Amino acid sequence: MNTTIIAGPCVIENYELLDIVAQELVRLNDKYNIDIIFKASFDKANRTSINSFRGPGLEKGLQMLQDIKSKYALRLLTDIHETYQANPVGEVVDVIQIPAFLCRQTDLLVAAAKTGKIVNIKKAQFLSGTDMQFPVQKVRESGNNNVWLTERGNMYGYNNLVVDFRNIADMKKYTDTVIMDCTHSVQRPGAAGGKTGGNREFVPAMALAAKAFGATGYFFEVHPEPECALSDGPNMLYLKDLEKTIIPLL
């Protein structure tokens, strides 16, 4: 099975950012003969503070993603938070992602499933790997067998996450594609005074540990200047570091 790599900025900030990241992903695709999936969110509906930047919204965000797809022929992934978003998103992207906090939301899973697109379900911070058999079942019983699962850590007390890598092996019982979210797993949720903190220096080790436990794919949020990012900066990987991070995973 080919290794799945998902990469891109946390949120759509502007078209220039998408263009810079897309160019690097195309370069890596050509150099290593892989198929990196471009990821960016049109709306971050679960930000810590109501004053945090959320993105351009559904209509404008999808147009920007479509422009990237048309220009660079990259496959796309984005997440949805509401059932009404599923159909328009499914017309543009190749993979619809269900956020971790929403992975038990039946109507959202069913709406995503009915688009016929790949549905990537992120494991909630409060669930085990074996618990994820039920979200998978909801998608499959809605007529869609194209379902992936993603590990992103579990809450460990307050403002911290820990990864139990056994979850990867457990989730592979339910789907062949299990992704390790290497950047969200090093978050410090809500730990930066109304924002989420993080420790990006642990990202490469998270990826290698996941590989040892049988992960078939890896998710990296990347940015040319994470310290200036409008969302998830402390845990995002520098775009220039993506190449050396993925080489041992291929």
Side-chain angles (χ1 to χ4, degrees), residues 165 180 182 185-186 200-212 218 220 237 245 249:
F165 289 96
M180 179 68 205
C182 305
S185 61
V186 301
R200 77 171 62 87
E201 64 269 24
F202 299 129
V203 168
M206 285 288 183
L208 290 172
K211 181 177 181 180
Y218 307 88
F220 301 98
L237 199 64
T245 303
L249 308 174

Side-chain angles (χ1 to χ4, degrees), residues 147-159:
V147 57
W148 298 351
L149 291 173
T150 294
E151 167 63 34
R152 52 100 70 242
N154 284 80
M155 293 305 300
Y156 187 66
Y158 297 116
N159 307 123

Side-chain angles (χ1 to χ4, degrees), residues 50-115:
I50 196 170
N51 298 313
S52 297
F53 179 76
R54 288 183 54 168
L58 178 65
E59 184 174 352
K60 184 177 180 180
L62 286 181
Q63 182 59 61
M64 295 168 80
L65 289 173
Q66 180 62 64
D67 289 347
I68 289 293
K69 188 173 190 175
S70 299
K71 184 175 181 180
Y72 293 106
L74 287 165
R75 290 200 293 161
L76 300 178
L77 176 150
T78 197
D79 37 15
I80 62 172
H81 294 82
E82 305 279 354
T83 55
Y84 76 87
Q85 297 171 341
N87 283 336
V89 167
E91 293 176 0
V92 174
V93 308
D94 303 274
V95 184
I96 296 177
Q97 183 164 275
I98 306 299
F101 287 123
L102 300 176
C103 74
R104 289 165 53 108
Q105 296 296 107
T106 301
D107 290 345
L108 192 63
L109 290 164
V110 171
K114 288 183 175 179
T115 66

